[in-house]
Amino acid sequence: MSGDFRERPETLAAQALGWVEPATRSVVPAIYPSTLYERAPDGSYPGGHTYTRDENPTYEQAESLLNRLEGGDGALLFGSGMAAATTVFETLDVGDHVVAPEQMYWTLQRWLEELAARGRIALDIVPNGDLAALEAALRPGRTKIVWIETPANPGAAITDIAEVSEAAHVAGARVVADSTVSTPVLCRPLEHGADLVVHSATKQLNGHADVLAGAVVTARRDALWERLVHDRAYRGAVLGPFEAWLLLRGMRTLFLRVPRSADSALRIAGRLASHPAVRDVRYPGLPSHPGHAVAARQMSGGFGMLLSFRPRGGAAAAKRVAGALRLFRNATSLGGVESLVEHRAPVEGPGTRVPADLLRLSIGIEAVEDLLEDLDRSLAP
Ligand code: PLP
């Protein structure tokens, strides 16, 4: 903030909160590689930092920006999205109950199932966006976390954050929203009642597929937040200052990249929806998507870079199309400037809930006409 007005999020991001290094007046934020900080003769830490596993000024720059963009009360960076998510779950006591959706980031769902199999947590998995199923699963007083992901990876299922938050809070549970696909450009879950937001910052927040990072943002600095701050430092799930700096640099262009790829994704989804070689398209921007009305209400400025479709001809056709695309890189992950395709079920392996013929696309910032031509050519018989 400066003067008597509040800058818009685009300005905050572009200027990295307007931070200028005090000693040199450097406009580009500095990288602080130091792992340690000097004490004063009286033993105090006049710089406010002790050791880099606890805190580092380079993390704090990216955390402050993400916190402002999400409208939070605090943010913490982690060494990966998984490190962020698992640190949240590690705050639970043995036997605490968790509700998670059918469609969510697969590795995290597997990890939760492994925890449940070992008796660490009780777990219920419910269909995304099904309030009645969620309410039936909630165990008042025992359910501690309702995990949601919206839009969800890989099928872009939508969850009504406000509706889930109301039900979860009545049962005494906290709502944690994985908002990786939305980014704060398109949706701010805390405004809809979520208690924590989690990101794989590896994806569109950084946006250049060259950093592994995660983040948690809180609605309030309560006991759970203090526990997360403590646990990140004790468990050491931090990232390096160079990665934190790259993440901040990536976030400065967030408001150019996110709307651009969302606009392209909408055009591509529309084209695929009317393509004779395609039997099903999943993109919340399409009015035919079951979550479209909710997405239109709780997202603004677009529906994200993630879409999935099922070509006619089953798993073999999906494999062929993924291999035939030239501009879409056949690679995992999402949210970079380059477009990606992934035949998802074989990646997830036995037990996956993903249809065998589903192709996941992550839309980058290339010329959309090129991407459309690449898809048309690859889908041709
Ligand atoms: N959440 C979502 C929606 C993801 O897509 C991913 C990774 O693909 C993760 C979390 C995990 O993040 P990371 O790979 O940074 O650990």
Side-chain angles (χ1 to χ4, degrees), residues 365-379:
I365 61 168
E366 305 94 334
V368 66
E369 294 78 11
D370 287 341
L371 300 176
L372 289 166
E373 279 167 27
D374 197 26
L375 282 163
D376 280 345
R377 195 187 38 74
S378 308
L379 285 164

Side-chain angles (χ1 to χ4, degrees), residues 199-220:
H199 284 284
S200 168
T202 313
K203 307 297 189 280
Q204 211 164 14
L205 281 183
N206 175 59
H208 296 76
D210 52 11
V211 168
L212 186 71
V216 181
V217 186
T218 186
R220 69 202 79 81

Side-chain angles (χ1 to χ4, degrees), residues 80-82 105 149 153 178 180 200 202-203 212-213:
S80 68
M82 279 299 287
Y105 178 54
E149 183 181 314
N153 178 7
D178 182 336
T180 298
S200 168
T202 313
K203 307 297 189 280
L212 186 71

Side-chain angles (χ1 to χ4, degrees), residues 29-75:
I31 304 175
Y32 294 89
S34 184
T35 56
L36 67 175
Y37 306 88
E38 191 185 37
R39 288 182 196 260
D42 66 358
S44 65
Y45 283 104
H49 297 86
T50 53
Y51 186 54
T52 198
R53 204 179 64 238
D54 302 343
E55 68 262 317
N56 178 298
T58 319
Y59 313 158
E60 286 155 18
Q61 291 163 1
E63 288 170 349
S64 303
L65 176 57
L66 181 60
N67 188 46
R68 282 293 290 278
L69 297 181
E70 288 287 7
D73 198 22

Side-chain angles (χ1 to χ4, degrees), residues 2-291:
S2 70
D4 58 356
F5 68 94
R6 230 173 204 286
E7 293 91 338
R8 290 167 182 77
E10 293 89 328
T11 307
L12 296 175
Q15 300 197 351
L17 296 180
W19 183 91
V20 173
E21 202 266 316
T24 63
R25 309 307 293 163
S26 147
V27 171
V28 174
I31 304 175
Y32 294 89
S34 184
T35 56
L36 67 175
Y37 306 88
E38 191 185 37
R39 288 182 196 260
D42 66 358
S44 65
Y45 283 104
H49 297 86
T50 53
Y51 186 54
T52 198
R53 204 179 64 238
D54 302 343
E55 68 262 317
N56 178 298
T58 319
Y59 313 158
E60 286 155 18
Q61 291 163 1
E63 288 170 349
S64 303
L65 176 57
L66 181 60
N67 188 46
R68 282 293 290 278
L69 297 181
E70 288 287 7
D73 198 22
L76 283 173
L77 289 188
F78 288 82
S80 68
M82 279 299 287
T86 56
T87 302
V88 171
F89 284 110
E90 287 292 355
T91 62
L92 295 178
D93 292 326
V94 175
D96 280 349
H97 181 237
V98 170
V99 184
E102 272 176 10
Q103 197 184 115
M104 63 179 280
Y105 178 54
W106 164 80
T107 307
L108 182 59
Q109 192 183 62
R110 279 287 159 90
W111 184 77
L112 289 174
E113 286 170 342
E114 286 170 16
L115 283 191
R118 286 177 13 228
R120 267 280 272 112
I121 58 167
L123 177 67
D124 273 303
I125 295 198
V126 299
N128 301 55
D130 184 339
L131 185 64
L134 170 71
E135 285 176 334
L138 284 169
R139 303 182 200 171
R142 202 177 153 205
T143 308
K144 293 291 157 49
I145 291 180
V146 174
W147 187 271
I148 58 174
E149 183 181 314
T150 181
N153 178 7
I158 295 292
T159 299
D160 185 327
I161 304 168
E163 188 180 86
V164 166
S165 299
E166 214 180 306
H169 291 159
V170 169
R174 285 194 170 87
V175 173
V176 188
D178 182 336
S179 198
T180 298
V181 173
S182 289
T183 81
V185 177
L186 304 180
C187 182
R188 285 163 296 283
L190 302 180
E191 287 175 3
H192 300 281
D195 300 283
L196 294 175
V197 177
V198 168
H199 284 284
S200 168
T202 313
K203 307 297 189 280
Q204 211 164 14
L205 281 183
N206 175 59
H208 296 76
D210 52 11
V211 168
L212 186 71
V216 181
V217 186
T218 186
R220 69 202 79 81
R221 289 176 183 252
D222 54 9
L224 174 64
W225 182 249
E226 292 313 321
R227 178 77 192 273
L228 287 168
V229 172
H230 168 276
D231 283 5
R232 183 185 70 166
Y234 271 50
R235 298 175 76 226
V238 290
L239 72 179
F242 290 99
E243 283 73 18
W245 185 87
L246 274 175
L247 173 60
L248 181 66
R249 188 175 70 167
M251 283 167 60
R252 295 177 79 155
T253 56
L254 195 62
F255 284 84
L256 290 178
R257 292 182 285 103
V258 171
R260 163 82 177 202
S261 56
D263 285 353
S264 297
L266 183 60
R267 268 190 71 184
I268 290 168
R271 173 76 69 93
L272 289 173
S274 61
H275 200 291
V278 173
R279 56 179 281 228
D280 182 25
V281 182
R282 300 179 183 188
Y283 187 65
L286 294 179
S288 57
H289 187 285

